[in-house]
Each structure stands twice: as structure tokens, then as C-alpha cells.
Amino acid sequence: MSIYSKVMVAIDLTEEAPQVLGKALEVSKAHGAELMLVHVVEPVGYAYGGDIPMDLSELQDQLDKAAHEQLQAYGDQYGISKENQVVTVGRPESEIHRLAKEQGVDLVIVGSHGRRGIQLLLGSTANGVLHGSECDVLAVRIN
């Protein structure tokens, strides 16, 4: 029996996403694990601190739609079923923790940019996922 039966890969839909996805696919295949693809859209209000008195719902809807389209394209390209493709809205660290717990995930895979200084090894999202996770976390170094 394998250590991992359900693996979640959380991507940010940047040009580096294929590096993280490729590694996640290798790990899930090596363990015969189900692979779940996740992207968290941050609420538009977070970017502006909620200080702008305007309706941002249309912009949020556009971001959600674009995220669903991009995630579906990656899902199709990497052979990940629609039921294992999730786009959610919220703070990335907390949404990843919530989904991992709800879905019974054994391993969460995230990308890491290998920052210097305070965030020496991990980016802020990868660091947040690592420190609050109830399961193993693999940080894939992005070149």
C-alpha cells in the first residue's frame, strides 16, 4: 500500500504552473494516487484592503470565470477529471487547508520560488500551507 492515496496540487495559474503540475503528476502516478487540481482566487477586496467604496463583483466574476477556464485547460492537458478540478475563492492558505481536510488529502503540493531573506526557502503562500497543514506538504522549487 502506498503512503499517499490522494494528492492535491495547488497552482497559481502563472507560467510556472506546468513545473508544479508536472511534478505533482509524477508523484501521484508513483503512488497510484488520485490527483486533485486546485486554484484559489483571492477576493478582489483583499487587493484593495476593502477601502474602495465600489462594487467589484463584476471584476470578481471575470476573475472566477478566467480561473475556471485556465484550470480546465490544465486539467484537460494533464488528464485530471473535472470532478477533481476545484476553483474556490478566499485566502489561499486557509482554502487549501480546508479543502485538504474535507477531501481527505494525504499530500499537498505547492510551488516555491525560493526567496531570499525572511522567506528564505518558501514563498508566503507555500509557507502558510506548510505551517497550517494537517497532512504532508511538498514544495516544488520553481526555476
Side-chain angles (χ1 to χ4, degrees):
M1 186 169 150
S2 176
I3 296 172
Y4 304 117
S5 60
K6 192 160 191 180
V7 175
M8 174 195 294
V9 58
I11 60 171
D12 61 5
L13 303 178
T14 62
E15 63 275 356
E16 291 111 357
Q19 289 180 55
V20 179
L21 265 167
K23 190 72 76 165
L25 199 58
E26 288 178 34
V27 170
S28 66
K29 282 183 179 178
H31 289 274
E34 180 180 358
L35 183 59
M36 183 177 177
L37 179 58
V38 173
H39 174 69
V40 181
V41 178
E42 290 192 69
V44 176
Y46 285 179
Y48 298 104
D51 293 340
I52 297 178
M54 59 190 298
D55 182 12
L56 299 173
S57 59
E58 187 176 325
L59 178 58
Q60 188 72 55
D61 289 345
Q62 290 174 353
L63 290 172
D64 291 349
K65 183 177 186 242
H68 277 93
E69 289 170 359
Q70 283 186 278
L71 203 75
Q72 183 177 345
Y74 279 128
D76 292 346
Q77 181 180 349
Y78 288 85
I80 301 168
S81 66
K82 278 205 187 294
E83 52 272 358
N84 280 337
Q85 298 174 26
V86 177
V87 174
T88 186
V89 177
R91 296 196 58 82
E93 304 86 3
S94 56
E95 285 300 300
I96 292 167
H97 293 151
R98 179 186 64 78
L99 284 168
K101 189 172 185 174
E102 282 178 8
Q103 299 293 323
V105 169
D106 307 301
L107 174 66
V108 174
I109 299 176
V110 293
S112 173
H113 289 90
R115 311 246 193 256
R116 295 195 170 125
I118 292 175
Q119 296 175 339
L120 185 60
L121 297 175
L122 301 173
S124 58
T125 298
N127 193 38
V129 171
L130 174 65
H131 288 357
S133 182
E134 294 182 14
C135 65
D136 291 349
V137 176
L138 171 63
V140 174
R141 177 139 173 103
I142 296 170
N143 299 324

